């Protein structure tokens, strides 16, 4: 301000230098490449921090150690430092009992990086995925994901970050919600980086042509790729990305793929190799380059020397594939055209099925003999459980194929999430469809600890809600990543529902989400309390949750059987009056108990038949004759 202005009391300020966020925005258009730093976690590990520590918490307990890593990258030539907060979201911190320190850890991370950055380097608040499975394949809603990212972004912004970097996201859908969460928290510049396989697909198999338009529409300032693969694959990605978006591109590869050397994971790409590819990445169209896992200050120094003389490659005219659909949907055939079971559900006639567990061994002879008796009795379908109560049995899909091909009757294959990851489920379901299996009952499955092999591991990649979403996508001709699979599958999608659930509100909430995922019918747990079941159906009607319901009916065989179901099978309600009837009958002998069990089953069915779409009769201990006795007198109406 001039002396004359001061005397006149002029309070106008001299022109101020651009803010740090504006400096970053200027970087994106100045025609020069710019350099991120390298890996933080691998550098902390190299400095003696054990892998069982929460690396993000070091911002509070050992800030000087974190600062030395930042300073090494500044000295190497990095222009942008990422904070040590990749895993500092609330869900990840909660695994270490640090969820309540989320704000402090992120603010400290920004402060430590700022102290190391000095006047020249910028500070990028680093945020990674939450480590939660998001809808439609998991229980965490999009709204929750957005809120969790929003609170971390706000903490980083308040701590002094100049920009935000979202990185190492394997799901484009979570990355979209993260972008939205950041945008709700701050107007800082935003870099959104996804991680890809060697085939240039996301962890859900989504192609760039599908996810790039969606990511661009969410509103980042920069789109990029980081982690998982080395620079050679990243070069292919940049060459593909540059024709799909007009946003600036950032690329942060690992120092090659890790190799195990004497029990340690080592990244083998040399600094010279990384520098060579940094030049290639810039020439291919990247504006920002840097490194991820295994990239050291020495790597960054060589990259800085290599890219400093370059100008960013001219972008020229780029074609954004706006409007490329994320889910290229095909309409599945009508329900009535997919199977006889589906036709029955669609037409409103009462369908009937009997549940038979697969054999314990490799010989299906007895199973097929029982199936033949049910077919001759006029039953619509055979229900095939998938390792009920975590028992070792013949595989459900193989058994179902035998039922249909040899037994000559449709199968309803129970399919669980317990034993298969998402990839295995996709393979199973596509193979099952090729074998002609059409009817599915999609359930989460009993944990292994319930069975004879309690030390067996369970997968539970997704639950029955996620599985229903998965099958619904297959029925629309797309995989989980939204890629077009061609002709849609023709599955009839059923789910379980438990009228006697201890927490009925939770059961109804889950049932809502199963319907939202595309469920087309429901099969209940065995019913022994008709009055309670009628109340449950009324609640479904009140909440608008009614789809065709198939009532589970179980013919009891003894008082012991009734007591076991009443006391040891979760979710099955056997009223004391029913247990007492079976006690009195069992006192008269085995045949009297069997007859009483059939009578109770038929009475139960008689009270609910007019309110449901079908009946599933269990064959306890493989006794299909009892199931046929229950169905006698109602099969005619079920088939009419």
């Amino acid at each position: 301000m001039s002396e004359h202005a001061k005397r006149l009391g002029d309070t106008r300020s001299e022109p101020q230098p651009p803010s740090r966020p504006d400096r970053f925005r200027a970087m994106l258009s100045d025609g020069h490449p710019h350099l991120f730093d390298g890996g933080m976690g691998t550098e902390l590990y190299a400095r003696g921090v054990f892998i069982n520590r929460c690396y993000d918490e070091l911002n509070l307990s050992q800030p000087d150690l974190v600062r030395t890593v930042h300073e090494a990258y500044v000295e190497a030539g990095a222009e942008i430092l990422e904070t040590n907060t990749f895993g500092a979201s609330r869900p990840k911190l909660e695994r270490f009992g640090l969820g309540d320190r989320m704000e402090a850890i992120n603010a400290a991370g920004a402060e430590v990086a700022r102290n190391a950055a000095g006047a020249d380097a910028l500070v990028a608040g680093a945020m990674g995925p939450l480590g939660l499975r998001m809808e439609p394949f998991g229980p965490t809603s999009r709204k929750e994901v957005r809120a969790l990212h929003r609170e971390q972004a706000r903490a980083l912004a308040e701590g002094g970050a100049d920009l935000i970097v979202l990185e190492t996201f394997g799901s484009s859908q979570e990355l979209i919600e993260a972008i939205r969460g950041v945008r709700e928290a701050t107007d800082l510049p935003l870099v959104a980086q996804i991680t890809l396989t060697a085939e240039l697909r996301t962890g859900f198999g989504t192609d760039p042509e599908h996810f790039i338009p969606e990511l661009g529409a969410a509103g980042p300032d920069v789109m990029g790729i980081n982690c998982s693969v080395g620079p050679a694959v990243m070069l292919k990605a940049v060459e593909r990305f540059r024709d799909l978006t007009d946003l600036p591109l950032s690329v942060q590869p690992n120092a090659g793929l890790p190799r195990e050397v004497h029990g340690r994971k080592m990244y083998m790409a040399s600094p010279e190799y990384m520098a060579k590819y940094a030049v290639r990445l810039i020439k291919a169209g990247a504006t920002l380059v840097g490194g991820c896992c295994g990239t050291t200050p020495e790597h960054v120094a060589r990259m800085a020397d290599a890219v400093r003389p370059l100008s960013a490659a001219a972008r020229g005219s780029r074609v954004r594939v706006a409007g490329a659909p994320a889910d290229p949907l095909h309409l599945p055939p009508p329900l009535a055209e997919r199977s006889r079971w589906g036709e029955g559900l669609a037409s409103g006639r009462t369908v009937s099925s009997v549940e038979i567990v697969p054999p314990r061994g490799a010989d299906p002879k007895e199973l097929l003999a029982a199936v033949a008796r049910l077919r001759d009795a006029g039953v619509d379908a055979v229900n095939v459980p998938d390792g009920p109560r975590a028992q070792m049995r013949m595989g459900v899909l193989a058994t179902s194929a035998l039922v249909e091909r040899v037994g000559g009757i449709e199968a309803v294959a129970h399919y669980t999430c317990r034993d298969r990851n998402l990839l295995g489920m996709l393979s199973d379901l596509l193979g099952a469809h090729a074998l002609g299996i059409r009817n599915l009952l999609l359930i989460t499955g009993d944990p292994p600890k319930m069975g004879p092999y309690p030390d067996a591991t369970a997968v539970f990649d997704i639950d029955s809600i996620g599985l229903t979403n998965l099958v619904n996508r297959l029925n629309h001709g797309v995989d989980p990543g939204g890629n077009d699979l061609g002709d849609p599958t023709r599955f009839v999608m059923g789910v379980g529902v438990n009228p006697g659930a201890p927490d009925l509100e939770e059961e109804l909430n889950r049932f809502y989400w199963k319907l939202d995922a595309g469920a087309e019918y429901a099969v209940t747990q065995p019913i022994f309390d008709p009055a309670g079941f009628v109340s449950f159906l009324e609640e479904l009607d009140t909440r608008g949750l009614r789809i065709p319901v198939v009532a589970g009916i179980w013919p009891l065989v003894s008082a012991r059987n009734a007591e076991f179901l009443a006391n040891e099978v979760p979710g099955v309600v056997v009223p004391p009056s029913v247990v007492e009837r079976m006690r009195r009958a069992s006192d008269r002998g085995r045949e009297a108990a069997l007859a009483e069990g059939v009578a109770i089953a038929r009475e139960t069915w008689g009270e609910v038949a007019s309110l449901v779409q079908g009946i599933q009769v269990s064959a306890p201990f493989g006794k299909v004759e009892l199931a046929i006795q229950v169905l006698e007198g109602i099969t005619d109406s079920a088939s009419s």
Side-chain angles (χ1 to χ4, degrees):
M1 185 180 294
S2 68
E3 290 300 317
H4 177 70
K6 289 179 182 177
R7 286 196 301 272
L8 293 177
D10 192 339
T11 59
R12 291 174 297 176
S13 301
E14 295 286 351
Q16 297 296 311
S19 68
R20 288 176 175 268
D22 286 340
R23 280 174 53 193
F24 176 75
R25 293 186 177 97
M27 284 181 174
L28 301 180
S29 58
D30 66 7
H32 296 285
H34 295 280
L35 193 62
F36 272 102
D37 57 8
M40 171 60 75
T42 47
E43 282 298 292
L44 290 171
Y45 176 72
R47 285 164 167 77
V49 181
F50 292 122
I51 58 174
N52 61 346
R53 288 285 304 274
C54 175
Y55 279 28
D56 311 277
E57 189 276 335
L58 297 173
N59 297 331
L60 297 176
S61 62
Q62 295 181 256
D64 291 343
L65 176 62
V66 178
R67 190 181 68 252
T68 61
V69 177
H70 287 315
E71 289 172 343
Y73 282 123
V74 172
E75 186 175 349
E79 300 170 84
I80 306 168
L81 301 179
E82 290 196 35
T83 57
N84 177 40
T85 55
F86 171 77
S89 62
R90 189 177 299 276
K92 285 191 172 179
L93 291 175
E94 284 175 346
R95 298 171 189 173
F96 296 93
L98 297 169
D100 60 344
R101 307 199 73 186
M102 186 276 299
E103 291 89 350
I105 288 172
N106 281 279
E111 181 181 354
V112 171
R114 165 69 58 232
N115 292 336
D120 297 326
L122 300 179
V123 173
M127 296 172 54
L130 301 173
L132 304 174
R133 194 171 289 280
M134 190 181 78
E135 62 174 321
F137 304 117
T140 309
S141 71
R142 291 176 178 272
K143 183 178 180 181
E144 290 171 313
V145 169
R146 192 160 59 249
L148 289 166
H149 286 297
R150 180 173 63 240
E151 68 173 6
Q152 186 184 1
R154 183 177 293 120
L156 287 166
E158 292 174 353
D162 304 316
L163 63 143
I164 300 294
V165 175
L166 298 166
E167 59 183 5
T168 323
F169 281 74
S171 164
S172 60
Q173 296 306 305
E174 183 183 353
L175 183 52
I176 288 169
E177 296 307 322
I179 293 169
R180 292 169 177 166
V182 172
R183 287 304 190 207
E184 291 173 0
T186 176
D187 60 359
L188 290 176
L190 174 58
V191 178
Q193 297 185 148
I194 201 160
T195 187
L196 302 175
T197 66
E199 291 75 31
L200 305 187
R201 292 179 174 175
T202 71
F204 282 92
T206 310
D207 289 321
E209 286 76 12
H210 293 146
F211 68 73
I212 285 181
E214 285 189 313
L215 292 179
D221 297 281
V222 179
M223 191 180 300
I225 322 106
N226 80 294
C227 203
S228 292
V229 294
V233 175
M234 293 258 181
L235 179 60
K236 296 179 182 178
V238 171
E239 291 169 342
R240 194 160 169 185
F241 277 32
R242 66 184 177 185
D243 293 327
L244 300 175
T245 180
D246 55 8
L247 289 174
L249 297 179
S250 64
V251 189
Q252 293 183 269
N254 289 343
L257 296 176
R259 299 180 187 177
E260 188 165 317
V261 180
H262 302 302
R264 296 182 68 180
K265 298 293 185 182
M266 306 292 288
Y267 290 85
M268 308 302 291
S270 68
E272 293 77 13
Y273 181 81
M274 292 289 284
K276 180 191 299 183
Y277 266 94
V279 171
R280 292 177 179 175
L281 291 165
I282 295 296
K283 290 183 176 180
T287 298
L288 304 168
V289 294
C292 202
C293 301
T295 310
T296 68
E298 184 180 357
H299 287 89
V300 171
R302 294 298 181 91
M303 294 167 72
D305 290 340
V307 305
R308 192 172 289 120
L310 300 176
S311 294
R315 295 183 180 84
S317 174
R318 296 190 181 185
V319 180
R320 178 189 293 271
V321 189
D327 291 334
L329 299 181
H330 303 270
L331 291 177
L335 181 62
E337 296 179 11
R338 294 182 227 162
S339 69
R340 187 169 183 270
W341 181 257
E343 181 276 325
L345 295 170
S347 68
R349 69 178 175 84
T350 304
V351 295
S352 62
S353 66
V354 173
E355 180 179 287
I356 306 181
V357 295
R360 290 185 184 276
D363 186 355
K365 188 181 305 179
E366 290 187 10
L367 169 81
L368 294 173
V371 169
R373 292 198 294 276
L374 295 174
R375 179 196 62 215
D376 295 342
V379 176
D380 287 316
V382 171
N383 268 267
V384 184
D386 188 2
R389 297 189 62 75
Q391 299 290 318
M392 187 278 295
R393 297 276 180 174
M394 183 181 289
V396 63
L397 298 181
T399 303
S400 298
L402 285 171
V403 167
E404 298 208 348
R405 293 190 172 195
V406 181
I409 186 173
E410 284 193 353
V412 176
H414 299 204
Y415 192 74
T416 73
C417 307
R418 175 188 57 232
D419 307 313
R420 309 152 178 104
N421 62 20
L422 192 62
L423 178 62
M425 291 179 183
L426 280 167
S427 300
D428 273 357
L429 292 166
L430 293 174
H433 191 268
L435 289 172
I437 296 171
R438 296 292 180 266
N439 308 311
L440 298 176
L441 184 64
L442 307 170
I443 52 182
T444 300
D446 298 318
K449 65 181 180 181
M450 295 179 64
Y453 305 103
D455 293 331
T457 56
V459 180
F460 294 121
D461 243 7
I462 54 179
D463 63 5
S464 56
I465 298 170
L467 180 56
T468 307
N469 275 295
L470 174 64
V471 176
N472 192 24
R473 286 182 173 234
L474 295 180
N475 270 5
H476 286 82
V478 293
D479 70 5
N483 300 299
D484 194 340
L485 293 175
D487 291 338
T489 56
R490 303 163 65 93
F491 290 120
V492 178
M493 299 182 295
V495 295
V497 67
N498 185 5
D503 187 343
L504 188 58
E505 189 63 31
E506 174 66 14
E507 181 71 12
L508 290 168
N509 286 337
R510 286 184 57 80
F511 191 56
Y512 167 85
W513 288 111
K514 291 176 184 180
L515 268 61
D516 182 74
E520 295 168 311
Y521 72 97
V523 177
T524 75
Q525 287 274 40
I527 299 166
F528 298 97
D529 177 16
F533 180 60
V534 170
S535 297
F536 177 77
L537 293 177
E538 291 173 349
E539 186 65 23
L540 292 185
D541 291 334
T542 299
R543 300 188 183 211
L545 301 180
R546 193 65 179 271
I547 57 174
V549 173
V550 177
I553 301 294
W554 180 294
L556 297 165
V557 298
S558 65
R560 181 178 296 180
N561 181 215
E563 291 168 350
F564 172 77
L565 290 173
N567 294 286
E568 298 190 39
V569 178
V572 175
V573 177
V574 184
S577 59
V578 171
V579 175
E580 182 59 29
R581 281 182 64 178
M582 290 304 299
R583 278 203 196 101
R584 291 198 300 266
S586 294
D587 289 342
R588 300 195 303 272
R590 178 175 177 275
E591 293 302 321
L594 292 174
E596 188 70 6
V598 169
I600 292 171
R602 295 188 67 176
E603 290 169 15
T604 301
W605 171 248
E607 293 190 47
V608 304
S610 63
L611 304 174
V612 296
Q613 186 85 38
I615 180 173
Q616 174 183 291
V617 186
S618 296
F621 310 108
K623 299 179 183 298
V624 295
E625 294 81 5
L626 293 181
I628 292 173
Q629 289 178 37
V630 172
L631 290 169
E632 285 176 352
I634 65 173
T635 305
D636 291 341
S637 62
S639 303
S640 61

